[in-house]
Amino acid sequence: MFLTDFLDICDPVVVFDEIMKGIDLEKYLRRIENRTGRPRYNPVRILKTILYGFVDGGYASLRELEDRCRYDIRYKYPDGTGERYAEA
């Protein structure tokens, strides 16, 4: 199953994601090369998650956002996880 199967079309995260798709966020982020180590996270997905945290509950610390990304399917949706299968 996809995460989109669990979310209503009128859910705020779906509306938020549709609005964010219309904005070219790449032009606001600078390119940083990944020279060594693990591959970097997608900066657009991280920005979308942080912005949705502000929309959803006002201010949220990065630790709170990390917890929400683990347990709340609405936070998995804007970071692109909605494209994958939902974990059982």
Side-chain angles (χ1 to χ4, degrees):
M1 294 187 113
F2 291 99
L3 287 177
T4 52
D5 297 338
F6 297 104
L7 297 172
D8 185 28
I9 191 81
C10 296
D11 194 291
V13 72
V14 177
V15 175
F16 173 81
D17 195 49
E18 288 300 316
I19 292 171
M20 295 306 288
K21 284 180 184 176
I23 301 172
D24 181 22
L25 295 175
E26 292 281 340
K27 66 182 178 181
Y28 300 110
L29 302 169
R30 55 182 179 145
R31 286 256 180 235
I32 299 174
E33 279 187 43
N34 187 21
R35 296 182 184 168
T36 61
R38 294 178 5 166
R40 291 175 21 110
Y41 289 104
N42 185 336
V44 172
R45 289 182 177 179
I46 292 174
L47 180 60
K48 284 170 62 174
T49 302
I50 292 171
L51 290 175
Y52 181 69
F54 281 112
V55 168
D56 185 41
Y59 175 77
S61 72
L62 293 179
R63 288 183 181 162
E64 289 174 11
L65 287 176
E66 180 183 9
D67 285 342
R68 291 178 187 177
C69 287
R70 285 185 183 156
Y71 303 114
D72 190 346
I73 64 169
R74 293 179 305 142
Y75 281 83
K76 293 181 180 185
Y77 187 79
D79 80 346
T81 317
E83 300 165 1
R84 296 187 225 147
Y85 289 107
E87 297 176 13

